[in-house]
């Protein structure tokens, strides 16, 4: 099989190698993300499943040359983080399948955490961070971990109450940013027959955001310092006294996870509000924000429209202190409904007028704007003019492009062919006669937004993979210097804790020379630039993915 000339089959050879629709750029990016987060063994198993599709345990161990024990541990990690799912077949064989799209979501972890920080302060940030780091956790475990972490950052004598963290968790569940994980139904355990090869997990939609009633009483604890350890009992003996006194976990078996779809819905809404603010004004964007906020729980993330809202409802729901009259609101809503982009549509006249937000058209406009921006940056303003012209007119011949764009024939031809070769445009042939003779055929240029969006998405995946590789290279090249810097910082921190003099601290700081300090600054600056670039490219990926997903569901 190794010598078989697969390359002669073009696209079909790719289908033989890849069971799913994953491209090589996506697989490479998944590999980098898995290795960065979980290490080499998990990355090896994860990428193998991405390439081959669903496989049973022993086949995975055989094909990857990994021991059964290591494969089991790797699969446990991947299942815990929702990166792999399993299915029991009729013969009782359990097959494991990688969730590629979920692996790519790891790129967005910093954005999820930052969003929660802006909405629910530091407590909400740490709750979502713990859920993303651990995959699944019980509410009581999350509350205790977050309370301890917040107590560590507080001044001496102050602690974080469990009740305060618990209240933030309830708010996150009420707004659907966290949700329950599927669990084993209780009826399954009472079956007298032999246990199934793998448990079937189910979740009732009504219970998905239902928070268990817990009476978590207590405060966050600080880690004991080395002095306290030395003064008290030996470390090895202390756990023996506490193990017998463990209380039963009140919410045992009820696990929670971050609801990534809800975060994506929030990102989409923010992008729409920002687009309206740029196109019109702040008041228009605030009206659209209010409409989206009223619909965020009632409208599913994949719906093409929000639920219809009356003008009176919108007026009552405007933020407190936003002083605009009902008449002015109606004028703004009419203006938004008449806008050519059609972000807002009118669906009826009852209640002062019923209005919806056309989510699909909004995403299409955002994706088109992204493509226009890329064309302008890549090929210049004249190409962008031609691109917008073809978008507006749908189909144009080369001569028509020259006339409408007022660009000389030679330049227009070069620009059209350049965009055609880069797949930003496509050429449609309309023959006058059945023989398809070139002299009797119309050649029309057109823009297929869906095709162009897919092409750009593929390039974005390649760009992010390159950015990650570059960041890893920069860190690896300066590994010795980074380790030295960390050692010096640790020594200074321990000396400050014991009340060392300023001269002693200065002497330790001088262990890093001026050229080394400059090198560290350059490294920090470069890594920050690469991180910022990753986040910016991921914003483009999110818009393109949302548009493609929404369009495919409508077809």
């Amino acid at each position: 099989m190794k010598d078989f000339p697969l390359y002669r089959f073009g696209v079909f050879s790719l289908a033989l190698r890849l069971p799913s629709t994953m491209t090589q750029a996506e697989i490479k990016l998944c590999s980098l993300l898995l290795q960065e987060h979980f290490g080499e063994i998990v990355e090896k198993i994860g990428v193998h499943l991405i390439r081959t599709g669903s496989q049973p345990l022993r086949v995975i161990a055989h094909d990857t040359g990994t021991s059964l024990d290591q494969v089991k541990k790797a699969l446990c990690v991947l299942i815990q983080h929702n990166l792999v799912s399993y299915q029991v077949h009729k013969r009782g064989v359990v097959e494991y399948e990688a969730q590629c799209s979920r692996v790519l979501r790891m790129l967005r972890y910093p954005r999820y955490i930052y969003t929660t920080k802006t909405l629910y302060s530091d407590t909400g940030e740490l709750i979502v961070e713990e859920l993303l780091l651990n995959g699944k956790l019980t509410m009581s475990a999350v509350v205790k971990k977050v309370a301890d972490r917040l107590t560590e950052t507080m001044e001496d004598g102050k602690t974080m109450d469990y009740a305060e963290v618990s209240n933030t968790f309830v708010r996150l569940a009420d707004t659907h940013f966290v949700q329950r994980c599927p669990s084993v139904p209780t009826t399954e355990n009472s079956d007298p027959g032999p246990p199934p090869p793998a448990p079937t997990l189910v979740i009732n939609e009504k219970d998905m955001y239902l928070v268990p009633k817990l009476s978590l009483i207590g405060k966050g604890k600080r880690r004991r310092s080395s002095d306290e350890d030395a003064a008290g009992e030996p470390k090895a003996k202390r756990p023996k006294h506490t193990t017998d006194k463990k209380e039963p976990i009140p919410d045992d078996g009820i696990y929670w996870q971050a609801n990534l779809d809800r975060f994506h819905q929030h990102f989409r809404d923010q992008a729409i509000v920002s687009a309206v603010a740029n196109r019109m004004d702040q008041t228009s964007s605030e009206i659209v924000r209010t409409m989206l906020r009223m619909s965020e729980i009632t409208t599913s993330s994949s719906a093409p429209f929000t639920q219809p809202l009356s003008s009176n409802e919108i007026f009552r729901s405007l933020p407190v202190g936003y002083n605009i009259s009902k008449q002015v609101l109606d004028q703004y809503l009419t203006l938004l409904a008449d806008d050519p982009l059609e972000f807002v549509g009118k669906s009826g006249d009852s209640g002062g007028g019923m209005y919806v937000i056309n989510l699909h058209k909004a995403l299409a406009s955002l994706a088109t704007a992204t493509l226009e921006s890329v064309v302008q940056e890549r090929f210049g303003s004249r190409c962008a003019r031609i691109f917008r012209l073809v978008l507006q007119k749908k189909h144009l011949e080369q001569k028509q492009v020259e006339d409408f764009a007022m660009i000389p024939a030679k330049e227009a031809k070069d620009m059209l062919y350049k965009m055609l070769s880069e797949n930003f445009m496509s050429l449609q042939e309309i023959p006058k006669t059945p023989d398809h003779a070139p002299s009797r055929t119309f050649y029309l240029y057109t823009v297929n937004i869906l095709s162009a969006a897919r092409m750009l998405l593929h390039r974005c995946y390649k760009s992010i993979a390159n950015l990650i590789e570059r960041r890893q290279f920069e860190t690896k090249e300066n590994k010795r210097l980074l380790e030295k810097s960390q050692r010096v910082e640790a020594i200074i921190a321990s000396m400050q804790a014991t009340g060392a003099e300023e001269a002693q601290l200065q002497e330790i700081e001088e262990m890093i020379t001026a050229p080394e300090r400059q090198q560290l600054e350059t490294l920090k600056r470069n890594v920050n630039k690469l991180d910022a670039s990753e986040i910016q490219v991921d914003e483009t990926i999110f818009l393109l993915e949302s548009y493609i997903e929404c369009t495919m569901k409508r077809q």
Side-chain angles (χ1 to χ4, degrees):
M1 186 68 184
K2 191 184 287 184
D3 301 326
F4 193 77
L6 285 174
Y7 63 87
R8 297 170 77 176
F9 288 87
V11 174
F12 297 105
S13 67
L14 187 65
L16 284 170
R17 291 196 303 274
L18 305 179
S20 63
T21 55
M22 294 288 284
T23 62
Q24 290 295 345
E26 287 171 282
I27 292 172
K28 183 181 178 182
L29 182 53
C30 286
S31 170
L32 288 166
L33 289 168
L34 287 170
Q35 187 168 14
E36 193 169 45
H37 284 78
F38 305 113
E40 286 182 12
I41 295 172
V42 173
E43 180 262 338
K44 188 178 183 181
I45 304 301
V47 172
H48 174 73
L49 286 174
I50 289 169
R51 289 186 182 278
T52 57
S54 57
Q55 282 196 333
L57 179 67
R58 293 192 179 278
V59 174
I60 298 168
H62 177 267
D63 290 354
T64 57
T66 312
S67 69
L68 265 178
D69 187 47
Q70 285 184 322
V71 173
K72 285 178 184 176
K73 287 177 182 176
L75 287 172
C76 280
V77 170
L78 291 166
I79 291 169
Q80 172 74 10
H81 289 267
N82 301 312
L83 306 177
V84 161
S85 61
Y86 59 85
Q87 192 175 1
V88 183
H89 290 274
K90 289 180 182 177
R91 295 182 180 178
V93 178
V94 181
E95 289 198 344
Y96 300 89
E97 186 176 3
Q99 303 298 312
C100 315
S101 59
R102 190 62 178 71
V103 175
L104 293 172
R105 293 296 80 83
M106 289 196 287
L107 271 175
R108 223 160 277 159
Y109 279 8
R111 200 173 170 194
Y112 300 140
I113 294 165
Y114 180 72
T115 299
T116 321
K117 183 183 176 70
T118 56
L119 295 173
Y120 298 98
S121 73
D122 293 345
T123 309
E125 175 196 9
L126 292 182
I127 288 170
V128 170
E129 187 180 326
E130 285 294 338
L131 288 173
L132 291 173
L133 284 174
N134 295 281
K136 303 177 181 76
L137 279 177
T138 60
M139 179 181 169
S140 54
V142 172
V143 168
K144 286 171 185 173
K145 279 173 177 278
V146 171
D148 290 350
R149 286 181 64 181
L150 287 168
T151 301
E152 285 283 334
T153 61
M154 289 179 167
E155 297 173 8
D156 289 341
K158 291 185 177 180
T159 54
M160 174 56 70
D161 203 301
Y162 285 173
E164 195 175 330
V165 181
S166 188
N167 289 339
T168 306
F169 193 99
V170 171
R171 286 167 61 205
L172 283 164
D174 288 343
T175 49
H176 296 186
F177 281 104
V178 297
Q179 63 183 18
R180 281 194 188 193
C181 302
S183 57
V184 180
T186 50
T187 52
E188 196 172 300
N189 297 332
S190 60
D191 189 2
T200 305
L201 304 177
V202 293
I203 181 76
N204 188 342
E205 282 190 25
K206 292 179 183 177
D207 299 336
M208 197 172 278
Y209 306 103
L210 183 67
V211 180
K213 291 179 181 177
L214 304 176
S215 55
L216 294 171
I217 301 165
K219 296 179 184 293
K221 297 178 180 66
R222 296 178 190 274
R223 293 176 188 168
R224 293 196 175 198
S225 67
S226 55
D227 294 339
E228 290 173 330
D229 286 337
E233 297 177 22
K235 288 182 184 179
K237 288 185 180 179
R238 208 179 301 119
K240 291 181 183 178
H241 298 295
T242 57
T243 46
D244 297 331
K245 296 179 183 179
K246 275 191 177 179
E247 295 179 6
I249 301 168
D251 58 343
D252 192 23
I254 304 173
Y255 287 87
W256 292 80
Q257 61 188 356
N259 183 3
L260 304 190
D261 287 340
R262 178 67 185 86
F263 279 100
H264 293 167
Q265 189 180 337
H266 178 77
F267 297 156
R268 180 203 64 197
D269 293 353
Q270 291 295 99
I272 291 170
V273 169
S274 178
V276 172
N278 292 334
R279 184 170 176 80
M280 293 187 176
D281 63 358
Q282 197 62 40
T283 306
S284 301
S285 70
E286 198 57 52
I287 292 166
V288 171
R289 189 197 303 275
T290 302
M291 292 174 71
L292 288 165
R293 193 172 60 244
M294 292 167 72
S295 309
E296 61 187 5
I297 303 298
T298 57
T299 305
S300 71
S301 57
S302 58
F305 296 92
T306 59
Q307 294 293 328
L309 299 166
S310 71
S311 171
N312 295 328
E313 286 178 308
I314 298 167
F315 182 69
R316 285 195 296 270
S317 300
L318 282 170
V320 179
Y322 214 80
N323 297 319
I324 62 167
S325 65
K326 175 71 167 60
Q327 187 182 359
V328 172
L329 173 66
D330 289 338
Q331 288 173 350
Y332 267 106
L333 286 169
T334 306
L335 188 68
L336 285 162
D338 292 341
D339 187 71
L341 289 181
E342 299 178 15
F343 277 26
V344 176
K346 192 170 184 179
S347 62
D349 295 314
S350 57
M354 301 294 287
Y355 294 90
V356 297
I357 292 178
N358 190 332
L359 300 171
H360 179 258
K361 283 201 173 176
L363 286 171
S365 297
L366 291 168
T368 305
T370 302
L371 286 169
E372 287 178 16
S373 174
V374 171
V375 168
Q376 178 145 350
E377 292 297 320
R378 193 173 175 83
F379 305 114
S381 57
R382 284 187 159 194
C383 275
R385 192 198 309 171
I386 291 173
F387 187 80
R388 280 192 290 269
L389 181 66
V390 176
L391 263 176
Q392 187 183 358
K393 301 288 185 182
K394 307 296 184 190
H395 296 86
L396 284 177
E397 287 186 278
Q398 185 178 312
K399 183 71 172 70
Q400 291 174 307
V401 171
E402 296 161 13
D403 294 341
F404 283 128
M406 293 183 289
I407 294 173
K410 188 176 182 299
E411 287 183 33
K413 183 181 176 181
D414 287 346
M415 290 172 186
L416 283 166
Y417 286 177
K418 198 183 289 181
M419 286 189 280
L420 185 67
S421 65
E422 296 277 354
N423 296 322
F424 283 99
M425 277 192 189
S426 53
L427 198 60
Q428 189 173 345
E429 297 180 10
I430 303 177
K432 295 179 188 176
T433 54
D435 61 355
H436 286 261
S439 59
R440 292 185 294 279
T441 302
F442 291 111
Y443 293 95
L444 302 178
Y445 287 94
T446 184
V447 175
N448 185 333
I449 298 175
L450 185 61
S451 171
R454 281 187 174 135
M455 176 274 298
L456 187 58
L457 181 62
H458 175 71
R459 289 189 176 183
C460 286
Y461 286 137
K462 288 179 77 173
S463 298
I464 287 239
N466 290 341
L467 286 166
I468 291 172
E469 283 188 323
R470 182 68 205 181
R471 174 164 52 77
Q472 289 177 348
F473 172 78
E474 289 277 350
T475 311
K476 190 178 177 182
E477 282 290 294
N478 296 278
K479 187 179 177 182
R480 185 198 60 79
L481 188 58
L482 283 169
E483 287 174 353
K484 182 180 177 182
S485 172
Q486 287 168 358
R487 282 198 304 271
V488 169
E489 284 174 7
I491 293 167
I492 289 170
S494 64
M495 289 179 72
Q496 282 175 336
T498 54
E501 294 178 7
E502 192 65 35
Q504 291 175 308
L505 296 174
Q506 188 72 30
E507 189 179 337
I508 299 297
E509 282 178 6
E510 286 172 1
M511 287 172 65
I512 298 178
T513 61
E516 285 178 331
R517 206 172 292 281
Q518 191 175 354
Q519 195 177 340
L520 279 168
E521 284 295 318
T522 306
L523 173 65
K524 188 179 177 182
R525 192 165 55 249
N526 290 343
V527 169
N528 286 344
K529 277 183 185 176
L530 291 167
D531 284 340
S533 300
E534 276 181 51
I535 292 166
Q536 286 174 344
V537 175
D538 182 59
E539 286 176 10
T540 305
I541 286 175
F542 171 72
L543 281 178
L544 295 172
E545 279 181 343
S546 301
Y547 166 69
I548 292 166
E549 185 183 350
C550 189
T551 307
M552 293 307 293
K553 281 178 181 174
R554 284 170 65 89
Q555 288 179 355

